[in-house]
Amino acid sequence: MSIGANLAEDTGSSTSSEKRRFEPPADLAAEANVTSAAYDRAAQDRLGFWAEQAERLTWAEPFTEVLDWTDAPFAKWYVGGRLNAAYNCVDRHVEAGRGDQVAFHFVGEPGDTRDITYADLKDEVSRAANALLDLGVRTGDMVAIYLPMIPEAVVSMLACARIGATHTVVFGGFSAEALASRIEDCRAKVVITADGGYRRGAPSALKPTVDDAIGKLGGNSPVDHVLTVRRTGEYVSFDDATDVWWHDVVDGASPEHTPEAFDAEHPLYVMYSSGTTGKPKGILHTTGGYLVGAAYTHHAVFDLKPGSAEEKGDVYWCTADIGWVTGHSYIVYGPLANGVTQVLYEGTPDSPHQGRWWEIVERYGVTLLYTAPTAIRTFMKWGREIPDRYDLSSLRLLGSVGEPINPEAYLWYRNVIGGDRCPVVDTWWQTETGQMMISPLPGVTAGKPGSAMQALPGIGVDVVDENGDPVPNGSSGYLVLTEPWPAMLRTLWGDKDRFVETYWARFEKQGYYFAGDGAKKDEDGDIWILGRVDDVMNVSGHRLSTSEIESALVSHPRVAEAAVVGAADETTGQAVFAYVILRSGAEEGASAGDALVHELRTHVGKEIGAIAKPRKITIVPELPKTRSGKIMRRLLRDVAENRAVGDTTTLSDPAIMAQIAGDDRAVK
Ligand code: WTA
């Protein structure tokens, strides 16, 4: 894959041509948790810095060495240290007199709400831990969790951590097939599920999928018990030999449980990476380093001020699902280790109306919001008059994660949601990194719309060429991590070779972690993520970023969302194919056809350069997305290259591809 020629260098890109800078608000900077001194401290003694950050946790036994990297790339952090993750997330806050502080304001989709204090959480986690022990789960066993976004999901994870069982949370939208392969790969002894959850105003069943998954595994199923939460009250089939109800075994269990301390490297969880073909990759995170990395970054990047409502502590809301790494690091482990009050919302943003999120922000006085660009662009599509109906003045900081945030979405987020007073922190990280790696610090960094800016203190990041040499400012290349970090994945479950091959083989000589993303250093050396390197196109020797062209398309007032792929072309190597969704109302009128397509091509030409003009633009009603909201460009590439469309089972709406392929043919 050539990364030599880069269009952004030649012509200027839509992203880097956005020149606005947003200084940290003076009041935030004056009181910021983390100042520029953190960068200095980490630069002078990186491991000393991480040793200091470990003091945020309560250790049952202190560590004797910060990092053992002698068996690289297999890391051991906080060697010899012992701790309990659940104790750190729950008990110690209660012991410190914070038992009455709300841990979660739970909002169910149908409108039911529950406030759960840290004391409640301690009792509930202890009960669940005792129930799991009664079901035969022991330290080192695996438990699969397949639940909607209800408090029992958090409780289940912490109950596992409390007894040293390793959890693997499978997103509730995954199919029986996907669930079965994960259960089988990690040999889960118990599956925790619910009869169902609520989505878009209706119950959506889960237990039947678990039954199906176990049925598929047949005699090879490792599952002894299925523990089911009653949420919707819908009928579920029950096998007395294996099935138990949560309310039967957890509600009656003792709320007393003494947590045991585990080694810092004890396996905390396995998270399977989504959307890839073949055997799922089980990314392993361990206990001590992971918790330090998640807690420190949550404290630093959100400038988190924990405390009760009376103390005017922050009210934090991360809209991710617990089935993804963002939910693990930034709903469960980081925020709870930091003792924050947060919102947990079960449902979708448009149920029962498109103002649901903003209603929640207003009702609970949310101060810190963490969400994904895809959600922001959806809200843009729905129009600003919806959030404008609510009082969002409690917000003081906005976070973004999961994909490059195009400047238009950044500016809309900052302006419409953040009232032009809230800094936006664009946080780059991955399931593998476990913690945020590149992000502005809200009290230090002047934000640039579309840039994730700089490596966080204690983190080593660079952008390198094919040979692993750093590229100069103004150029792009491969994003690498140059130093081990506390929350790094330790291996792929049961597949050390694949771990080494996937992440460490490419820049073996330098010992760099290969992130799989392309990135650019701007003239100031700030980092702009260009998207996965497999999504980068090479057109006539020019390297084009899918996200850069998407960003250009979305900057057109009539476009709501865009996906771009590179399709094979005999002459130019690849050609740019674009699929766009129009903003509501924009479909009407005569110009929805050829004239608009022409206008959009011209617009991209204007924003980036003629070379970036899509060969073809197809207007579509929806884009193929995984249930986590990632666009599956592979499928669009199939359509662009006139192939049969590949596996659509991980799409949130598999029917969409037939529609896109049909539309595409119609306009050829
Ligand atoms: C992308 C989600 C640009 C990137 C936490 C990465 C981003 C992949 C950003 C990991 C960001 C994540 N800007 N791209 N702020 N954050 N990505 O494992 O391509 O679901 O490699 O982790 O998402 O996705 P994952």
Side-chain angles (χ1 to χ4, degrees), residues 273-274 283 324-326 370 373 400-405 426-433 438 452 515-517 529-532 628 630:
S273 71
S274 67
I283 288 157
W324 308 116
V325 74
T326 306
Y370 192 29
S400 173
V401 63
E403 49 178 319
I405 180 163
D426 175 14
T427 63
W428 178 88
W429 60 292
Q430 308 176 301
T431 305
E432 290 88 341
T433 69
I438 308 175
D517 278 310
I529 309 294
L530 298 170
R532 302 291 304 185
S628 67
K630 285 209 189 329

